[in-house]
Amino acid sequence: MERRTRKYVRTWRGALGVLLTGGVLLTGCSGASDGTEYSSADRRAAPAPAPAASGGAADNDGAKGADGSKKQDGLRESAPPDYLSTFALDVDTASYGYARRTLADGNLPEPATVRPEEFVNSFRQGYRRPAGNGFTVNVDGARAGADGWSLVRVGLAARAAPARDERPPAALTFVVDISGSMAEPGRLDLVKRSLGILTDELRDDDSVSLVTFSDEAKTLLPMTRLRDHRGRIRDRVDSMEPTDSTNVEAGIRRGYDEAVDGRVKGANNRVVLLSDALANTGETDAEAILERIDSARREYGITLFGVGVGSDYGDALMEQLTNKGDGHTTYIADETQARKVFVDQLPAHLELTARDAKAQVAFDPKTVEKFKLIGYEDRKVADEDFRNDRVDGGEVGPGHTVTALYAVHLRDGAFGHVATATVRWLDPRTRAPHEQTGAVGTEAIDGPLWGGDSKRLQVTAVAAYFAEALRGGRLPGAPGLGELASRADTLASGTEDDSVRKLATAIGRADRLKGGGDDNGSGGAPEGEMD
């Protein structure tokens, strides 16, 4: 369905420009209250989250108009504080992978390519999972160390990924960039190794087709069942060599034509784009490409998975394409990451358990003075569109978790209910709406962050603080990069998680490149939601 989220619109011409700035944190949590699930075709029957506060700071100079328009005395009414936060779910991780690659090359990532939610969602959270489609809702938090500030983590978990033999069959069309820029080590060579790994991992009843593009697009392999054709597929993959310029439009159009012509009934039909996404030839209006993706998605249910490669990577274009294609993006820099994507995470990339999923967090104005969502700037949804199922949300597969981290400033002496989180999604087959809720009170976020019981919450905080520092933001309670690296190193030992060790390494590299000395403050924002 057409995406109508409030987002920064990214355009690209030639070598494609980049995205957003801003700031807010997301993380997940495991010790939370789970609410009741609501399932009804009539969305009016589902209870709404706590309403936004109707009050706010009064204007002492005159009467107020409800719409903030000028009154007869020439004064303008102040809008009431907004205590609702609404966003489309996002399981992309490409921003973090690309940042690690850039830091390993001795450079700081461009702030516009850093999306905190993708840093946070790159790490395991340990949430309890539901038995069927849908989500568990987990809400927890801790004191952030700054005066009156806490972190509140909203964690959503889909059902566990099925065993290899239990998922539906897949029909995958690989659209591979073989332009000249893909000759750099770690691009086409890594794509070829990745496809070799995937060819070994797919089942006999899965099907694949292969399209390449440079200045033009070419079909190397029509949709083919793997059963007795793995050798043929490997031969086609091995034959790919880098050639000329990058005509993404030609590749996308040919790829979707092949996917439509070769679609398999009852299978997960998906286009997989493998590219550095540095378009420089062909259609210069991204909307033309997006229109082709959207029509195939609506008519045939064909979704798009983007896999980015390369030291110079068109992150903005890849995200824009996959958003339109009801898919998501990841980034691979080496064979280890390729195995993680194409082996460990394969079911989550192929199957959908929830369509158009959105979350809405209602903060209690009696206990919360102000709050800030970390990240998700380009996934924001108008509060009133939370239950409007014509407004696009995010797509989630089995094994996925989604974490949103908030910086929350409590009122002095606050006690009791802090926030209620609600997730709404559509069944991927019937499109029936469902909801699930969870809530958190002051007692659940009163403990200290560092040294607290939840190491995963601490990892989430480190990832979010790191992302915000890379894009030049300031978050309350955030330590400098040197201390963050030390805390990540300690957490890596405590969790025995190699991905956290790599996070510590990335933070240390960023600290050296920045020269140390990051400073963070809380600012003096008014009540309600902070920009």
mmCIF file of all heavy atoms in Angstrom, residues 487-518:
data_model
loop_
_atom_site.group_PDB
_atom_site.id
_atom_site.type_symbol
_atom_site.label_atom_id
_atom_site.label_comp_id
_atom_site.label_asym_id
_atom_site.label_seq_id
_atom_site.Cartn_x
_atom_site.Cartn_y
_atom_site.Cartn_z
ATOM 1 N N ARG A 487 32.626 0.121 28.213
ATOM 2 C CA ARG A 487 31.418 -0.579 28.661
ATOM 3 C C ARG A 487 31.032 -1.687 27.673
ATOM 4 O O ARG A 487 30.608 -2.767 28.075
ATOM 5 C CB ARG A 487 30.268 0.409 28.837
ATOM 6 C CG ARG A 487 30.495 1.387 29.996
ATOM 7 C CD ARG A 487 29.218 2.100 30.391
ATOM 8 N NE ARG A 487 29.418 3.001 31.519
ATOM 9 C CZ ARG A 487 29.474 2.616 32.782
ATOM 10 N NH1 ARG A 487 29.349 1.340 33.084
ATOM 11 N NH2 ARG A 487 29.660 3.503 33.759
ATOM 12 N N ALA A 488 31.171 -1.429 26.390
ATOM 13 C CA ALA A 488 30.868 -2.463 25.398
ATOM 14 C C ALA A 488 31.813 -3.650 25.546
ATOM 15 O O ALA A 488 31.398 -4.812 25.418
ATOM 16 C CB ALA A 488 30.958 -1.882 23.986
ATOM 17 N N ASP A 489 33.076 -3.369 25.830
ATOM 18 C CA ASP A 489 34.037 -4.446 26.014
ATOM 19 C C ASP A 489 33.666 -5.305 27.224
ATOM 20 O O ASP A 489 33.726 -6.541 27.171
ATOM 21 C CB ASP A 489 35.435 -3.857 26.181
ATOM 22 C CG ASP A 489 36.522 -4.905 26.083
ATOM 23 O OD1 ASP A 489 36.649 -5.521 25.012
ATOM 24 O OD2 ASP A 489 37.229 -5.115 27.085
ATOM 25 N N THR A 490 33.261 -4.667 28.316
ATOM 26 C CA THR A 490 32.827 -5.406 29.506
ATOM 27 C C THR A 490 31.581 -6.225 29.215
ATOM 28 O O THR A 490 31.461 -7.382 29.637
ATOM 29 C CB THR A 490 32.553 -4.431 30.662
ATOM 30 O OG1 THR A 490 33.757 -3.704 30.966
ATOM 31 C CG2 THR A 490 32.073 -5.169 31.905
ATOM 32 N N LEU A 491 30.637 -5.632 28.481
ATOM 33 C CA LEU A 491 29.404 -6.347 28.135
ATOM 34 C C LEU A 491 29.686 -7.524 27.207
ATOM 35 O O LEU A 491 29.008 -8.553 27.284
ATOM 36 C CB LEU A 491 28.412 -5.385 27.480
ATOM 37 C CG LEU A 491 27.760 -4.371 28.426
ATOM 38 C CD1 LEU A 491 27.084 -3.256 27.629
ATOM 39 C CD2 LEU A 491 26.748 -5.060 29.331
ATOM 40 N N ALA A 492 30.669 -7.398 26.328
ATOM 41 C CA ALA A 492 31.019 -8.509 25.443
ATOM 42 C C ALA A 492 31.480 -9.707 26.255
ATOM 43 O O ALA A 492 31.134 -10.857 25.950
ATOM 44 C CB ALA A 492 32.109 -8.072 24.463
ATOM 45 N N SER A 493 32.250 -9.449 27.313
ATOM 46 C CA SER A 493 32.688 -10.545 28.180
ATOM 47 C C SER A 493 31.521 -11.125 28.951
ATOM 48 O O SER A 493 31.409 -12.353 29.104
ATOM 49 C CB SER A 493 33.765 -10.034 29.150
ATOM 50 O OG SER A 493 34.902 -9.556 28.454
ATOM 51 N N GLY A 494 30.622 -10.256 29.427
ATOM 52 C CA GLY A 494 29.490 -10.723 30.221
ATOM 53 C C GLY A 494 28.456 -11.490 29.422
ATOM 54 O O GLY A 494 27.806 -12.398 29.946
ATOM 55 N N THR A 495 28.295 -11.130 28.158
ATOM 56 C CA THR A 495 27.293 -11.794 27.314
ATOM 57 C C THR A 495 27.896 -12.905 26.464
ATOM 58 O O THR A 495 27.147 -13.689 25.868
ATOM 59 C CB THR A 495 26.628 -10.781 26.363
ATOM 60 O OG1 THR A 495 27.643 -10.163 25.549
ATOM 61 C CG2 THR A 495 25.885 -9.703 27.140
ATOM 62 N N GLU A 496 29.231 -12.954 26.389
ATOM 63 C CA GLU A 496 29.920 -13.897 25.504
ATOM 64 C C GLU A 496 29.375 -13.792 24.082
ATOM 65 O O GLU A 496 29.144 -14.781 23.394
ATOM 66 C CB GLU A 496 29.800 -15.333 26.027
ATOM 67 C CG GLU A 496 30.457 -15.531 27.388
ATOM 68 C CD GLU A 496 30.396 -16.963 27.871
ATOM 69 O OE1 GLU A 496 29.687 -17.766 27.243
ATOM 70 O OE2 GLU A 496 31.074 -17.286 28.856
ATOM 71 N N ASP A 497 29.169 -12.549 23.647
ATOM 72 C CA ASP A 497 28.567 -12.265 22.346
ATOM 73 C C ASP A 497 29.607 -11.556 21.481
ATOM 74 O O ASP A 497 30.012 -10.425 21.770
ATOM 75 C CB ASP A 497 27.331 -11.385 22.542
ATOM 76 C CG ASP A 497 26.542 -11.177 21.265
ATOM 77 O OD1 ASP A 497 27.098 -11.395 20.177
ATOM 78 O OD2 ASP A 497 25.358 -10.793 21.362
ATOM 79 N N ASP A 498 30.038 -12.227 20.424
ATOM 80 C CA ASP A 498 31.067 -11.661 19.563
ATOM 81 C C ASP A 498 30.595 -10.390 18.870
ATOM 82 O O ASP A 498 31.405 -9.507 18.560
ATOM 83 C CB ASP A 498 31.497 -12.694 18.522
ATOM 84 C CG ASP A 498 32.693 -12.227 17.694
ATOM 85 O OD1 ASP A 498 33.736 -11.900 18.291
ATOM 86 O OD2 ASP A 498 32.577 -12.181 16.451
ATOM 87 N N SER A 499 29.290 -10.268 18.616
ATOM 88 C CA SER A 499 28.784 -9.062 17.964
ATOM 89 C C SER A 499 28.971 -7.839 18.863
ATOM 90 O O SER A 499 29.199 -6.731 18.376
ATOM 91 C CB SER A 499 27.314 -9.225 17.586
ATOM 92 O OG SER A 499 26.503 -9.359 18.735
ATOM 93 N N VAL A 500 28.893 -8.031 20.179
ATOM 94 C CA VAL A 500 29.129 -6.920 21.110
ATOM 95 C C VAL A 500 30.611 -6.572 21.137
ATOM 96 O O VAL A 500 30.984 -5.397 21.264
ATOM 97 C CB VAL A 500 28.603 -7.271 22.507
ATOM 98 C CG1 VAL A 500 28.796 -6.092 23.464
ATOM 99 C CG2 VAL A 500 27.119 -7.637 22.452
ATOM 100 N N ARG A 501 31.471 -7.577 21.012
ATOM 101 C CA ARG A 501 32.908 -7.306 20.923
ATOM 102 C C ARG A 501 33.212 -6.456 19.692
ATOM 103 O O ARG A 501 34.020 -5.513 19.753
ATOM 104 C CB ARG A 501 33.669 -8.632 20.835
ATOM 105 C CG ARG A 501 35.175 -8.495 20.766
ATOM 106 C CD ARG A 501 35.772 -8.191 22.124
ATOM 107 N NE ARG A 501 35.490 -9.259 23.081
ATOM 108 C CZ ARG A 501 35.638 -9.140 24.393
ATOM 109 N NH1 ARG A 501 36.047 -7.991 24.896
ATOM 110 N NH2 ARG A 501 35.366 -10.153 25.195
ATOM 111 N N LYS A 502 32.578 -6.744 18.583
ATOM 112 C CA LYS A 502 32.783 -5.952 17.374
ATOM 113 C C LYS A 502 32.249 -4.537 17.543
ATOM 114 O O LYS A 502 32.804 -3.579 16.986
ATOM 115 C CB LYS A 502 32.121 -6.643 16.183
ATOM 116 C CG LYS A 502 32.796 -7.959 15.807
ATOM 117 C CD LYS A 502 32.039 -8.688 14.704
ATOM 118 C CE LYS A 502 32.735 -10.004 14.352
ATOM 119 N NZ LYS A 502 31.970 -10.785 13.346
ATOM 120 N N LEU A 503 31.173 -4.394 18.317
ATOM 121 C CA LEU A 503 30.658 -3.056 18.624
ATOM 122 C C LEU A 503 31.691 -2.260 19.401
ATOM 123 O O LEU A 503 31.927 -1.079 19.112
ATOM 124 C CB LEU A 503 29.358 -3.181 19.417
ATOM 125 C CG LEU A 503 28.765 -1.888 19.986
ATOM 126 C CD1 LEU A 503 28.373 -0.931 18.861
ATOM 127 C CD2 LEU A 503 27.551 -2.196 20.867
ATOM 128 N N ALA A 504 32.313 -2.894 20.399
ATOM 129 C CA ALA A 504 33.346 -2.213 21.181
ATOM 130 C C ALA A 504 34.496 -1.763 20.291
ATOM 131 O O ALA A 504 35.019 -0.639 20.428
ATOM 132 C CB ALA A 504 33.851 -3.141 22.283
ATOM 133 N N THR A 505 34.896 -2.619 19.349
ATOM 134 C CA THR A 505 35.975 -2.263 18.431
ATOM 135 C C THR A 505 35.601 -1.062 17.573
ATOM 136 O O THR A 505 36.401 -0.136 17.371
ATOM 137 C CB THR A 505 36.314 -3.465 17.530
ATOM 138 O OG1 THR A 505 36.738 -4.558 18.340
ATOM 139 C CG2 THR A 505 37.406 -3.114 16.537
ATOM 140 N N ALA A 506 34.366 -1.056 17.070
ATOM 141 C CA ALA A 506 33.908 0.057 16.228
ATOM 142 C C ALA A 506 33.881 1.367 17.014
ATOM 143 O O ALA A 506 34.278 2.423 16.502
ATOM 144 C CB ALA A 506 32.531 -0.249 15.657
ATOM 145 N N ILE A 507 33.420 1.307 18.263
ATOM 146 C CA ILE A 507 33.371 2.531 19.083
ATOM 147 C C ILE A 507 34.780 3.042 19.351
ATOM 148 O O ILE A 507 35.045 4.255 19.298
ATOM 149 C CB ILE A 507 32.619 2.262 20.399
ATOM 150 C CG1 ILE A 507 31.173 1.869 20.119
ATOM 151 C CG2 ILE A 507 32.651 3.510 21.286
ATOM 152 C CD1 ILE A 507 30.408 1.410 21.356
ATOM 153 N N GLY A 508 35.713 2.127 19.648
ATOM 154 C CA GLY A 508 37.094 2.540 19.873
ATOM 155 C C GLY A 508 37.689 3.224 18.649
ATOM 156 O O GLY A 508 38.399 4.234 18.772
ATOM 157 N N ARG A 509 37.397 2.701 17.477
ATOM 158 C CA ARG A 509 37.891 3.334 16.244
ATOM 159 C C ARG A 509 37.302 4.730 16.069
ATOM 160 O O ARG A 509 38.013 5.675 15.696
ATOM 161 C CB ARG A 509 37.546 2.457 15.040
ATOM 162 C CG ARG A 509 38.406 1.212 14.922
ATOM 163 C CD ARG A 509 37.891 0.266 13.862
ATOM 164 N NE ARG A 509 38.828 -0.835 13.617
ATOM 165 C CZ ARG A 509 38.490 -1.990 13.080
ATOM 166 N NH1 ARG A 509 37.214 -2.202 12.701
ATOM 167 N NH2 ARG A 509 39.387 -2.931 12.894
ATOM 168 N N ALA A 510 36.008 4.865 16.339
ATOM 169 C CA ALA A 510 35.370 6.178 16.210
ATOM 170 C C ALA A 510 35.961 7.169 17.208
ATOM 171 O O ALA A 510 36.174 8.348 16.879
ATOM 172 C CB ALA A 510 33.869 6.046 16.419
ATOM 173 N N ASP A 511 36.241 6.713 18.401
ATOM 174 C CA ASP A 511 36.812 7.592 19.428
ATOM 175 C C ASP A 511 38.175 8.105 18.989
ATOM 176 O O ASP A 511 38.490 9.301 19.132
ATOM 177 C CB ASP A 511 36.918 6.818 20.743
ATOM 178 C CG ASP A 511 37.358 7.700 21.901
ATOM 179 O OD1 ASP A 511 36.902 8.861 21.969
ATOM 180 O OD2 ASP A 511 38.154 7.230 22.731
ATOM 181 N N ARG A 512 38.993 7.217 18.431
ATOM 182 C CA ARG A 512 40.313 7.652 17.963
ATOM 183 C C ARG A 512 40.191 8.628 16.797
ATOM 184 O O ARG A 512 40.950 9.612 16.713
ATOM 185 C CB ARG A 512 41.148 6.438 17.573
ATOM 186 C CG ARG A 512 41.572 5.571 18.764
ATOM 187 C CD ARG A 512 42.577 4.516 18.366
ATOM 188 N NE ARG A 512 41.999 3.497 17.503
ATOM 189 C CZ ARG A 512 41.350 2.421 17.937
ATOM 190 N NH1 ARG A 512 41.170 2.233 19.247
ATOM 191 N NH2 ARG A 512 40.869 1.523 17.099
ATOM 192 N N LEU A 513 39.265 8.381 15.885
ATOM 193 C CA LEU A 513 39.098 9.276 14.740
ATOM 194 C C LEU A 513 38.565 10.637 15.145
ATOM 195 O O LEU A 513 38.908 11.658 14.546
ATOM 196 C CB LEU A 513 38.159 8.630 13.715
ATOM 197 C CG LEU A 513 38.733 7.443 12.944
ATOM 198 C CD1 LEU A 513 37.634 6.697 12.189
ATOM 199 C CD2 LEU A 513 39.816 7.903 11.976
ATOM 200 N N LYS A 514 37.724 10.652 16.167
ATOM 201 C CA LYS A 514 37.166 11.916 16.659
ATOM 202 C C LYS A 514 38.120 12.643 17.594
ATOM 203 O O LYS A 514 37.924 13.818 17.892
ATOM 204 C CB LYS A 514 35.838 11.664 17.387
ATOM 205 C CG LYS A 514 34.633 11.495 16.471
ATOM 206 C CD LYS A 514 33.383 11.219 17.301
ATOM 207 C CE LYS A 514 32.120 11.348 16.455
ATOM 208 N NZ LYS A 514 31.731 12.751 16.259
ATOM 209 N N GLY A 515 39.103 11.932 18.110
ATOM 210 C CA GLY A 515 40.036 12.547 19.025
ATOM 211 C C GLY A 515 39.551 12.601 20.454
ATOM 212 O O GLY A 515 40.147 13.280 21.305
ATOM 213 N N GLY A 516 38.433 11.898 20.765
ATOM 214 C CA GLY A 516 37.923 11.839 22.137
ATOM 215 C C GLY A 516 37.236 13.115 22.548
ATOM 216 O O GLY A 516 37.133 14.093 21.813
ATOM 217 N N GLY A 517 36.714 13.107 23.769
ATOM 218 C CA GLY A 517 36.166 14.335 24.359
ATOM 219 C C GLY A 517 34.750 14.647 24.002
ATOM 220 O O GLY A 517 34.355 15.812 24.017
ATOM 221 N N ASP A 518 33.897 13.647 23.678
ATOM 222 C CA ASP A 518 32.494 13.927 23.400
ATOM 223 C C ASP A 518 31.809 14.507 24.625
ATOM 224 O O ASP A 518 32.039 14.090 25.754
ATOM 225 C CB ASP A 518 31.757 12.644 22.997
ATOM 226 C CG ASP A 518 31.994 12.319 21.535
ATOM 227 O OD1 ASP A 518 32.597 13.169 20.866
ATOM 228 O OD2 ASP A 518 31.587 11.229 21.099
#
